[in-house]
Amino acid sequence: MSSLSSAGSVERRLQLDQDFHVLNRDDLLFSQYPCTLSPSSLAIHDVAYCQALLANPHNFATQTSCDIFDRKDGTAGHWINNVDDQTLSDYIHTPEEPNRTRMIFFNLNRRNKTTFDYELSLTQSLTSDLLQTFKVSPHFVPLLLGESDYASPGIYEDFDNKEVICQHPRWKIGHHLSPRSVYMSFDKALRLTIYIVVSSDCTRDLVIRTSRERLATAFSGAKQSACYGAIDPYLFNTIIAQEVHIQSKKHFTRVRHNLWAQFGVLFEHSKSRADLGRDELKSLTNQFHEISQDADRLIAHAEMLTMIADRTCKAHDHLRKESCPTERQDFVLVDACLRDLVESLSSRKRWLTSYKSRKDTVMKLIYNLVTQQDSETNTAIARSAKTDSESMAVIAILTMIFLPATAVSGFFSMSFFSGESHVTRMSGDWWLFLAVALPMTFALFIIWYFLRRRITARDATEKLKRKTWIAIKSQVGEEEFPRWRSGSSGATTLAEEIYQSGVDKMA
């Protein structure tokens, strides 16, 4: 099943590569986002790329659908689900209040003719309004529209504001989930936190669904919320990272169980002392290759999550040092959680590396088993060939014994000889036998000689041509070689020179 899923994933990636189109970067519209941001932001980010993405109407839904979580200091947070265009527009333009947390959750749905194969559950006009009102970094625009980004998380900070932009890894091997991207902005003066989260629908993305449930459990009740002040700005991103880590456990366990299952097959065969067949060895090799690919994928995702947790931890530690002593106490749990997450991921990566090392050892064992079987097969073939050669030698000896007698009997049985009354007489036409036999024998030798010479010359010519192109490739380089071989005049001249020098040496 996993091999079929992998094949489907490869086919899907190839299809995406074929459907990819380079964006046309038209002239900048300075009255539209993101040109309305600060000049430094325009210099750092690719503004033309962002405007080209926002100009594609297929990237956006015809009607808005999103969820909102809002909480003020010391009050219970509340959810607004299935928000429409007008409700979201009113919410975006709500006056900012201090010590407030605002979160908006959007979905990414599969659609054709889009830039990244996804449609955002937000209208085109409201998207520009949202980005402009919240002054979202242009770095987040491709992620908002579903681009798969494997770069490091973006953390931007100025005197009044902090921004964190990241895309959390997706562990499911052989399954497709929409990219899971998070934008966080924190206004230091107002203590205002804004989150924009884009992912698959919550029914499919277990990480986002569980993270939302944990957030609702902690801050939706009046009794719990009254005990806490403003939410730590890095809390929800930490919850998502922690849930991503928790969801990875089953995938790590799957790789470990598959590895030990294949070890068990080898162990059982070693106890029975039975030779593994070719089909069994092929199956084991394929299984270990799949395990290795899964382990590499998990290691890459763990590296990405480690990078997110590590950079978030450093940014959070910097914010904690800037805060007053009373606020620092609220930051302790998040800081400890991030540090524990980094250490746990490092441990997971060490175990995965250990699994791969064990797999490599077993693969060497399988290779040695195949080599031994091939050696035994070759030995058996050699013994059989030796037996056949001995039999042929016996036949050759018997042939040599009877060949003279056969030749003599054949010669005297011809019509040129006759015997009567114990007297042998020879015909006068006996010379016809020599006149026909000797020229035919000579002609056969001549034909064999010229055929062998022609075959040898043809093989030498093909070998010389291969050496000629190898010599040209070494002179012009790997990149220029295809153009030269396609028939350029320089390639023809150089090939003729090298070929002629080889012919002269052969002569």
Side-chain angles (χ1 to χ4, degrees), residues 278 367-383:
R278 286 283 181 177
Y367 176 77
N368 291 334
L369 290 174
V370 174
T371 303
Q372 290 176 7
Q373 290 186 3
D374 289 343
S375 177
E376 292 176 357
T377 303
N378 292 334
T379 302
I381 294 173
R383 289 174 180 172

mmCIF file of all heavy atoms in Angstrom, residues 278 367-383:
data_model
loop_
_atom_site.group_PDB
_atom_site.id
_atom_site.type_symbol
_atom_site.label_atom_id
_atom_site.label_comp_id
_atom_site.label_asym_id
_atom_site.label_seq_id
_atom_site.Cartn_x
_atom_site.Cartn_y
_atom_site.Cartn_z
ATOM 1 N N ARG A 278 15.589 -15.674 -4.280
ATOM 2 C CA ARG A 278 15.767 -14.385 -4.949
ATOM 3 C C ARG A 278 14.584 -13.458 -4.692
ATOM 4 O O ARG A 278 14.749 -12.266 -4.441
ATOM 5 C CB ARG A 278 15.933 -14.608 -6.453
ATOM 6 C CG ARG A 278 17.268 -15.170 -6.851
ATOM 7 C CD ARG A 278 18.320 -14.111 -6.812
ATOM 8 N NE ARG A 278 19.622 -14.624 -7.211
ATOM 9 C CZ ARG A 278 20.698 -13.878 -7.323
ATOM 10 N NH1 ARG A 278 20.620 -12.597 -7.059
ATOM 11 N NH2 ARG A 278 21.852 -14.396 -7.673
ATOM 12 N N TYR A 367 23.481 -8.062 0.912
ATOM 13 C CA TYR A 367 24.391 -8.042 -0.246
ATOM 14 C C TYR A 367 25.384 -9.204 -0.177
ATOM 15 O O TYR A 367 25.666 -9.858 -1.188
ATOM 16 C CB TYR A 367 25.133 -6.708 -0.276
ATOM 17 C CG TYR A 367 26.162 -6.612 -1.373
ATOM 18 C CD1 TYR A 367 25.790 -6.385 -2.694
ATOM 19 C CD2 TYR A 367 27.521 -6.758 -1.091
ATOM 20 C CE1 TYR A 367 26.726 -6.304 -3.704
ATOM 21 C CE2 TYR A 367 28.470 -6.680 -2.088
ATOM 22 C CZ TYR A 367 28.071 -6.450 -3.392
ATOM 23 O OH TYR A 367 29.011 -6.383 -4.384
ATOM 24 N N ASN A 368 25.890 -9.461 1.024
ATOM 25 C CA ASN A 368 26.830 -10.578 1.177
ATOM 26 C C ASN A 368 26.143 -11.912 0.905
ATOM 27 O O ASN A 368 26.742 -12.825 0.300
ATOM 28 C CB ASN A 368 27.434 -10.573 2.585
ATOM 29 C CG ASN A 368 28.374 -9.407 2.801
ATOM 30 O OD1 ASN A 368 28.957 -8.890 1.852
ATOM 31 N ND2 ASN A 368 28.506 -8.965 4.036
ATOM 32 N N LEU A 369 24.871 -12.046 1.349
ATOM 33 C CA LEU A 369 24.134 -13.270 1.067
ATOM 34 C C LEU A 369 23.936 -13.468 -0.434
ATOM 35 O O LEU A 369 24.105 -14.578 -0.955
ATOM 36 C CB LEU A 369 22.776 -13.235 1.774
ATOM 37 C CG LEU A 369 22.789 -13.342 3.308
ATOM 38 C CD1 LEU A 369 21.382 -13.133 3.854
ATOM 39 C CD2 LEU A 369 23.341 -14.678 3.753
ATOM 40 N N VAL A 370 23.592 -12.393 -1.120
ATOM 41 C CA VAL A 370 23.423 -12.481 -2.578
ATOM 42 C C VAL A 370 24.750 -12.834 -3.247
ATOM 43 O O VAL A 370 24.809 -13.662 -4.165
ATOM 44 C CB VAL A 370 22.869 -11.151 -3.134
ATOM 45 C CG1 VAL A 370 22.839 -11.180 -4.658
ATOM 46 C CG2 VAL A 370 21.474 -10.889 -2.600
ATOM 47 N N THR A 371 25.838 -12.224 -2.763
ATOM 48 C CA THR A 371 27.156 -12.513 -3.328
ATOM 49 C C THR A 371 27.533 -13.971 -3.116
ATOM 50 O O THR A 371 28.076 -14.632 -4.018
ATOM 51 C CB THR A 371 28.206 -11.597 -2.683
ATOM 52 O OG1 THR A 371 27.827 -10.233 -2.874
ATOM 53 C CG2 THR A 371 29.567 -11.817 -3.320
ATOM 54 N N GLN A 372 27.241 -14.488 -1.906
ATOM 55 C CA GLN A 372 27.545 -15.891 -1.635
ATOM 56 C C GLN A 372 26.725 -16.814 -2.528
ATOM 57 O O GLN A 372 27.257 -17.805 -3.064
ATOM 58 C CB GLN A 372 27.271 -16.200 -0.160
ATOM 59 C CG GLN A 372 28.246 -15.547 0.806
ATOM 60 C CD GLN A 372 27.876 -15.813 2.240
ATOM 61 O OE1 GLN A 372 26.965 -16.586 2.523
ATOM 62 N NE2 GLN A 372 28.573 -15.166 3.166
ATOM 63 N N GLN A 373 25.445 -16.501 -2.695
ATOM 64 C CA GLN A 373 24.622 -17.336 -3.566
ATOM 65 C C GLN A 373 25.112 -17.282 -5.010
ATOM 66 O O GLN A 373 25.154 -18.312 -5.698
ATOM 67 C CB GLN A 373 23.168 -16.892 -3.478
ATOM 68 C CG GLN A 373 22.501 -17.201 -2.146
ATOM 69 C CD GLN A 373 21.022 -16.869 -2.146
ATOM 70 O OE1 GLN A 373 20.475 -16.455 -3.164
ATOM 71 N NE2 GLN A 373 20.369 -17.038 -1.005
ATOM 72 N N ASP A 374 25.491 -16.082 -5.457
ATOM 73 C CA ASP A 374 26.033 -15.965 -6.816
ATOM 74 C C ASP A 374 27.330 -16.747 -6.951
ATOM 75 O O ASP A 374 27.588 -17.395 -7.990
ATOM 76 C CB ASP A 374 26.278 -14.494 -7.151
ATOM 77 C CG ASP A 374 24.978 -13.727 -7.341
ATOM 78 O OD1 ASP A 374 23.935 -14.380 -7.538
ATOM 79 O OD2 ASP A 374 25.018 -12.477 -7.281
ATOM 80 N N SER A 375 28.159 -16.699 -5.894
ATOM 81 C CA SER A 375 29.417 -17.452 -5.930
ATOM 82 C C SER A 375 29.159 -18.952 -5.999
ATOM 83 O O SER A 375 29.815 -19.668 -6.774
ATOM 84 C CB SER A 375 30.250 -17.108 -4.692
ATOM 85 O OG SER A 375 31.439 -17.860 -4.668
ATOM 86 N N GLU A 376 28.183 -19.421 -5.207
ATOM 87 C CA GLU A 376 27.855 -20.847 -5.258
ATOM 88 C C GLU A 376 27.299 -21.235 -6.621
ATOM 89 O O GLU A 376 27.621 -22.296 -7.155
ATOM 90 C CB GLU A 376 26.845 -21.163 -4.163
ATOM 91 C CG GLU A 376 27.410 -21.037 -2.754
ATOM 92 C CD GLU A 376 26.347 -21.252 -1.687
ATOM 93 O OE1 GLU A 376 25.176 -21.447 -2.085
ATOM 94 O OE2 GLU A 376 26.680 -21.226 -0.493
ATOM 95 N N THR A 377 26.477 -20.365 -7.190
ATOM 96 C CA THR A 377 25.930 -20.650 -8.524
ATOM 97 C C THR A 377 27.033 -20.702 -9.574
ATOM 98 O O THR A 377 27.063 -21.598 -10.435
ATOM 99 C CB THR A 377 24.890 -19.581 -8.904
ATOM 100 O OG1 THR A 377 23.867 -19.540 -7.916
ATOM 101 C CG2 THR A 377 24.281 -19.876 -10.260
ATOM 102 N N ASN A 378 27.949 -19.726 -9.512
ATOM 103 C CA ASN A 378 29.063 -19.710 -10.468
ATOM 104 C C ASN A 378 29.955 -20.936 -10.297
ATOM 105 O O ASN A 378 30.462 -21.488 -11.289
ATOM 106 C CB ASN A 378 29.883 -18.433 -10.279
ATOM 107 C CG ASN A 378 29.109 -17.193 -10.680
ATOM 108 O OD1 ASN A 378 28.205 -17.264 -11.512
ATOM 109 N ND2 ASN A 378 29.446 -16.056 -10.095
ATOM 110 N N THR A 379 30.150 -21.364 -9.032
ATOM 111 C CA THR A 379 30.957 -22.562 -8.797
ATOM 112 C C THR A 379 30.295 -23.794 -9.402
ATOM 113 O O THR A 379 30.952 -24.640 -10.030
ATOM 114 C CB THR A 379 31.165 -22.757 -7.282
ATOM 115 O OG1 THR A 379 31.802 -21.606 -6.736
ATOM 116 C CG2 THR A 379 32.030 -23.983 -7.011
ATOM 117 N N ALA A 380 28.965 -23.887 -9.218
ATOM 118 C CA ALA A 380 28.243 -25.019 -9.803
ATOM 119 C C ALA A 380 28.325 -24.997 -11.328
ATOM 120 O O ALA A 380 28.505 -26.047 -11.971
ATOM 121 C CB ALA A 380 26.783 -24.989 -9.350
ATOM 122 N N ILE A 381 28.198 -23.789 -11.919
ATOM 123 C CA ILE A 381 28.312 -23.684 -13.378
ATOM 124 C C ILE A 381 29.710 -24.080 -13.845
ATOM 125 O O ILE A 381 29.881 -24.771 -14.868
ATOM 126 C CB ILE A 381 27.968 -22.251 -13.821
ATOM 127 C CG1 ILE A 381 26.490 -21.949 -13.548
ATOM 128 C CG2 ILE A 381 28.287 -22.045 -15.297
ATOM 129 C CD1 ILE A 381 26.102 -20.512 -13.808
ATOM 130 N N ALA A 382 30.737 -23.665 -13.092
ATOM 131 C CA ALA A 382 32.111 -24.007 -13.455
ATOM 132 C C ALA A 382 32.342 -25.514 -13.391
ATOM 133 O O ALA A 382 33.001 -26.102 -14.263
ATOM 134 C CB ALA A 382 33.089 -23.283 -12.530
ATOM 135 N N ARG A 383 31.783 -26.140 -12.337
ATOM 136 C CA ARG A 383 31.940 -27.596 -12.229
ATOM 137 C C ARG A 383 31.231 -28.296 -13.380
ATOM 138 O O ARG A 383 31.761 -29.258 -13.955
ATOM 139 C CB ARG A 383 31.367 -28.065 -10.898
ATOM 140 C CG ARG A 383 32.220 -27.657 -9.690
ATOM 141 C CD ARG A 383 31.531 -28.028 -8.396
ATOM 142 N NE ARG A 383 32.342 -27.638 -7.248
ATOM 143 C CZ ARG A 383 31.925 -27.693 -5.983
ATOM 144 N NH1 ARG A 383 30.674 -28.117 -5.726
ATOM 145 N NH2 ARG A 383 32.723 -27.328 -4.997
#
